[in-house]
Amino acid sequence: MPSKDEQFEELRPLLFSIAYRILSSVSEAEDAVQDTWLRYSASPMEPVSTKAYLSAVVTRISVDVLRSARHRREQYVGPWFPEPLLSDPYEDPERAAELADSVSMAALLLLERLSPLERAAFVLREVFGFSFAEVASAVGRSEAACRQLVVRGRRHMEAGRARFAADQRAQEALAVRFFDAFKEGDVGSLLEFLAADVQLVGDAGGKAPQWGRGVVAGAGNVARMLVALAAPFAQIGGVVEPQVVNGQPGAIFRNSEGQVVNTWTLDIADGQVQAIRAVVNPDKLRHLGPVADAWAVVQETTAARRDP
């Protein structure tokens, strides 16, 4: 029979994926998984289902953390986005579509509208396919109550979803062309890819530079902002590294030393970029590697504009 350690390590990807979808934070999800291990390793009991038991523990821990985090997020400076996730460690071919959709920035922002219990019940049932009995055990409510939690969660999620979806390959192909146009710094080329009401939104959390109040709206305004960023950033040795971020086309921006400046995710639908979400808050980037001083990058790019 596998040891506790072996059983836990086998389930770690699932536990992290549950915690991340409840918390929208890589660091907090990792902490929740570690706390789950500490409780499991110290417990003398042998659960009937290790998967159900550990999933319930990590869910309860995550719900408690989320309850305290919600107040901090209400006090957050400027737009708030989840911590960017480059790869989801858990895979299940039978639920691939649900898993991919549920980790997108748009879906995670919709999940923020749910109460902690609604969010946990929705994630366990709709994303990971747990039975209502397992959901009830995890959130400490009756099966009937959990059905209501899931129904309310589903209603909120469906009401906020985009009216259309794009094929993943089409998204990726458009993103490649978009980033090529960005690097070229041509307003006309960029306008071809931007929806009329596109938004460029930055999450700086008061700890890094942001655009105005964090939002630039309209295709013309966004295109001009992108052009103003592209050439100076390249001139100081900055690198735009195309990357899948939260299951969406995106990029990591690095300074000349390879340090992370920010991440972008692109919301693509109907053949156009609907939104560009940038995470600039250094606290949300540390899990990706060494983080650049964004203020210093802005100073360098400002100097590059003056002395092209």
Side-chain angles (χ1 to χ4, degrees):
M1 179 178 179
S3 66
K4 273 191 170 184
D5 188 35
E6 291 170 332
Q7 293 179 69
F8 185 85
E9 287 305 314
E10 182 179 350
L11 290 166
R12 181 185 289 273
L14 170 64
L15 303 179
F16 172 85
S17 294
I18 291 171
Y20 179 76
R21 285 165 174 80
I22 294 174
L23 293 167
S24 292
S25 166
V26 173
S27 54
E28 289 177 345
E30 289 174 343
D31 289 344
V33 172
Q34 183 60 23
D35 286 347
T36 300
W37 163 247
L38 294 175
R39 296 188 189 186
Y40 179 50
S41 62
S43 173
M45 69 173 292
E46 288 293 337
V48 175
S49 168
T50 305
K51 175 184 174 182
Y53 171 78
L54 292 177
S55 298
V57 173
V58 81
T59 296
R60 292 182 202 126
I61 292 171
S62 298
V63 166
D64 288 343
V65 173
L66 180 60
R67 284 175 172 144
S68 62
R70 285 170 74 90
H71 177 70
R72 296 196 303 274
R73 293 175 188 178
E74 289 170 359
Q75 306 300 317
Y76 197 79
V77 177
W80 180 93
F81 292 149
E83 286 186 9
L85 180 70
L86 298 189
S87 62
D88 186 359
Y90 178 70
E91 296 181 0
D92 181 351
E94 293 184 0
R95 305 197 66 80
E98 292 89 343
L99 290 169
D101 179 67
S102 64
V103 83
S104 71
M105 283 281 183
L108 291 172
L109 289 171
L110 286 175
L111 284 170
E112 285 293 309
R113 302 180 184 182
L114 308 185
S115 72
L117 286 183
E118 286 173 346
R119 184 166 184 166
F122 180 88
V123 166
L124 291 176
R125 176 63 183 175
E126 298 294 294
V127 178
F128 294 97
F130 281 76
S131 69
F132 277 109
E134 292 169 323
V135 175
S137 174
V139 303
R141 295 291 187 274
S142 68
E143 289 189 41
C146 287
R147 291 180 188 276
Q148 289 303 310
L149 290 171
V150 171
V151 167
R152 289 200 298 269
R154 190 186 300 133
R155 187 182 303 129
H156 282 296
M157 295 294 288
E158 290 177 351
R161 289 187 188 280
R163 297 184 306 277
F164 35 65
D167 175 81
Q168 185 175 357
R169 290 184 179 179
Q171 285 185 337
E172 293 170 353
L174 188 144
V176 169
R177 300 197 303 275
F178 168 80
F179 281 116
D180 285 344
F182 170 74
K183 293 172 185 177
E184 292 170 3
D186 179 70
V187 171
S189 296
L190 283 167
L191 285 173
E192 295 179 14
F193 298 100
L194 301 175
D197 58 351
V198 64
Q199 290 190 334
L200 170 61
V201 189
D203 172 352
K207 299 183 178 183
Q210 66 178 13
W211 306 285
R213 295 184 176 179
V215 181
V216 179
N221 292 331
V222 170
R224 286 188 289 272
M225 173 63 76
L226 296 181
V227 168
L229 291 171
F233 187 68
Q235 191 173 337
I236 67 170
V239 175
V240 181
E241 179 184 298
Q243 181 70 256
V244 175
V245 182
N246 286 83
Q248 299 171 267
I252 299 176
F253 285 63
R254 300 184 185 273
N255 66 5
S256 59
E257 299 177 0
Q259 297 171 321
V260 179
V261 178
N262 62 19
T263 64
W264 281 10
T265 56
L266 307 181
D267 276 3
I268 297 174
D270 202 28
Q272 292 182 308
V273 176
Q274 308 290 326
I276 304 169
R277 295 189 174 94
V279 176
V280 197
N281 185 338
D283 293 344
K284 296 186 176 184
L285 300 172
R286 301 194 194 285
H287 63 285
L288 302 178
V291 178
D293 181 344
W295 297 103
V297 172
V298 167
Q299 290 177 343
E300 287 185 74
T301 55
T302 300
R305 288 192 191 99
R306 289 197 301 264
D307 303 305

